[in-house]
Amino acid sequence: MRYSVDLLCIGAGAKATAVAAKAHVLNSRRANPVRVLVVEKQAPAAHWTGQYGYTSGSEHLGTRPEKDIGFPYQSEAAFGPEFAFVDDAMPGLSWHSYLRDAGQYGRWIDRGAPAVSHARFGDYLCWVQERARNGVTHHKSGVARLRLSGDSWETVLEDGTEVTAGSVLLTGPGRMQPLPGSDGLDLPDAASPRSAITSRVIASSHVVVVGGGESAASSARAVLDAIGPCGRVTIVSPGHLRTRSETFQDNDFYTNPEAGWPEKTWDERIDFIRRTDRGVVSPQLLERLAGDDRVAVVAGRVSGVERFLDGYRVTVGGAVLAADLVINCSGFRLAPLLEELLDDRSIALLRDAGPRFDDAALARLIDDDLRLAALPAPLFVPALAGPQAGPGFANLSILGKLADRILLTVLRRDSAAATPAYGTKAIDAVLR
């Protein structure tokens, strides 16, 4: 089998769903549809369901579900006034439409529009994917390696399928950063299914969870549900456990980064993201941990992990913690995933463009359209786009605007203009 598409989406999570939905709506007015291929190795919304790791599925979403795949419904500002039909059509794939279709809209409103679980949000994403099919194809397989071919990408999927794509969207968190000294140790991490974690603990276990964000809190909760009253969980975090900032001023930077984000210095942007998004925990989960006497939090960074008798020793500063199990939730990195995925030419171009090949340096290579500017074919990496384009592009805050920027670039590929002009004029070729 062979595909030739305009956009290859690697992963079938929230970002790919938003792009597929927007392409579906745009294609209703196009003579030649935007061809989108969504490739997913496990299952649609796999990282949300609780069946494949990253979450148990029962944790609450950190953002409100109304910030759905179309939010903030401002496609007209990106594409031009003649594209008001996009904003008119997208509410048909909204969170509220999903609830109405399920017969749950009134019940959800009457209960105070509560936060929803990761699994419920995953169900919503699957609902959208089932309906957004105009020009969109889904294929179950993994992507082995991407190769530059002129100004496009070529790949052979793990099942042998060949794909040529004008642009690629890379989604997902990346690879877990290993703990110092953990080479050769079989440690579960934030990506592990929660059942694989709980199967390794007993009632009296002392489990050390390294990390201070949602993944660490999720793993700690899974352990608490499995151990007995004599068991313990110690969370080693470099900072205080905290919830996401919800002030209207902070939220405005997420929803409308064009308004003030460019005026911030790079260091101010990094500090803002660290304060409001990195390492934050949903209020419900933080309350659960705070109310359990079996939980302790140690401030610091792990400098070493080693096997000791039937367990492990974890060095934190000048202290050593004895543990029956260590769970690594210290954070994901995109650079190792890119190094695995990209061909030698692409890696060389990225290394030549920056001082280092790590997430911090790669983030400076991201354009406002969410692509790595050093590559001749668009490779969109929204997880790295927060500092440059706006903090909401790396998470769920503005999925509709993320889709606009990606599809705008895809549709402009044959245009002579090199730089997107958001909100200034429509694209001549969009309806061809």
Side-chain angles (χ1 to χ4, degrees):
M1 184 180 296
R2 182 174 182 85
Y3 293 105
S4 180
V5 297
D6 300 299
L7 177 65
L8 167 65
C9 299
I10 302 177
K15 295 179 176 66
T17 303
V19 171
K22 192 67 62 76
H24 166 85
V25 170
L26 282 169
N27 286 338
S28 69
R29 300 287 185 94
R30 284 178 56 86
N32 299 309
V34 182
R35 299 160 300 166
V36 178
L37 175 65
V38 180
V39 174
E40 169 58 56
K41 185 174 183 177
Q42 295 172 311
H47 292 178
W48 296 96
T49 63
Q51 301 176 34
Y52 298 93
Y54 297 93
T55 176
S56 71
S58 59
E59 294 87 356
H60 287 86
L61 201 63
T63 56
R64 294 197 57 80
E66 295 96 325
K67 291 191 174 184
D68 52 25
I69 53 95
F71 184 84
Y73 296 91
Q74 295 174 356
S75 292
E76 183 179 352
F79 292 104
E82 53 265 62
F83 294 93
F85 75 90
V86 177
D87 292 328
D88 292 339
M90 283 299 294
L93 297 171
S94 68
W95 168 255
H96 288 167
S97 291
Y98 158 75
L99 289 179
R100 288 196 295 270
D101 188 65
Q104 293 292 315
Y105 180 68
R107 177 179 174 83
W108 185 70
I109 293 294
D110 289 343
R111 291 168 65 89
V116 301
S117 69
H118 288 184
R120 186 68 184 275
F121 190 72
D123 187 61
Y124 161 62
L125 296 177
C126 292
W127 178 87
V128 174
Q129 290 180 31
E130 290 169 0
R131 287 155 179 78
R133 294 286 179 160
N134 191 343
V136 179
T137 302
H138 289 257
H139 188 96
K140 185 174 182 179
S141 183
V143 175
R145 200 163 179 84
L146 290 172
R147 184 177 69 85
L148 276 173
S149 178
D151 61 350
S152 62
W153 295 98
E154 291 186 355
T155 184
V156 177
L157 305 184
E158 291 178 356
D159 65 359
T161 300
E162 298 178 357
V163 180
T164 299
S167 303
V168 173
L169 167 62
L170 177 62
T171 69
R175 296 286 182 257
M176 177 60 60
Q177 178 174 274
L179 295 174
S182 65
D183 291 347
L185 299 182
D186 180 24
L187 301 181
D189 59 32
S192 302
R194 297 303 176 257
S195 59
I197 293 175
T198 56
S199 66
R200 297 180 60 176
V201 301
I202 59 175
S204 59
S205 290
H206 175 216
V207 178
V208 170
V209 179
V210 182
E214 188 78 11
S215 295
S218 166
S219 299
R221 173 182 173 168
V223 172
L224 290 172
D225 290 341
I227 61 176
C230 295
R232 294 180 296 137
V233 174
T234 298
I235 301 174
V236 179
S237 172
H240 295 288
L241 299 181
R242 61 191 188 280
T243 59
R244 183 186 302 276
S245 170
E246 292 290 348
T247 72
F248 75 92
Q249 292 173 302
D250 289 341
N251 284 339
D252 194 49
F253 275 115
Y254 278 92
T255 303
N256 299 297
E258 304 90 348
W261 193 249
E263 283 70 48
K264 286 182 173 291
T265 67
W266 190 267
D267 288 343
E268 287 172 340
R269 298 178 195 183
I270 297 298
D271 181 68
F272 179 91
I273 292 170
R274 185 181 295 114
R275 177 174 60 83
T276 62
D277 188 40
R278 296 285 173 84
V280 297
V281 181
S282 67
Q284 297 85 356
L285 186 49
L286 188 59
E287 183 178 357
R288 164 71 192 278
L289 297 178
D292 198 314
D293 290 336
R294 296 172 296 173
V295 177
V297 179
V298 174
R301 296 185 181 275
V302 171
S303 58
V305 179
E306 60 181 342
R307 288 287 299 180
F308 181 70
L309 300 178
D310 293 332
Y312 303 87
R313 290 198 300 194
V314 182
T315 303
V316 184
V320 176
L321 305 175
D324 298 299
L325 183 66
V326 178
I327 305 174
N328 180 15
C329 301
S330 59
F332 292 93
R333 297 294 181 268
L334 267 296
L337 175 59
L338 288 169
E339 209 159 19
E340 294 173 18
L341 192 62
L342 297 180
D343 64 345
D344 293 341
R345 180 189 169 202
S346 303
I347 295 295
L349 289 170
L350 293 174
R351 289 188 182 278
D352 289 344
R356 302 177 310 280
F357 193 85
D358 57 26
D359 284 22
L362 290 170
R364 291 182 177 271
L365 304 182
I366 297 285
D367 272 352
D368 283 341
D369 59 4
L370 318 183
R371 60 174 284 187
L372 284 164
L375 300 176
L379 175 61
F380 304 102
V381 190
L384 292 174
Q388 174 60 35
F393 290 110
N395 51 45
L396 306 183
S397 296
I398 43 173
L399 291 171
K401 194 167 287 189
L402 174 146
D404 289 338
R405 295 207 180 182
I406 290 172
L407 288 172
L408 187 58
T409 302
V410 171
L411 291 168
R412 291 182 56 131
R413 290 210 67 216
D414 294 331
S415 171
T419 305
Y422 303 109
T424 60
K425 61 182 180 179
I427 313 164
D428 294 337
V430 165
L431 297 182
R432 286 205 303 240

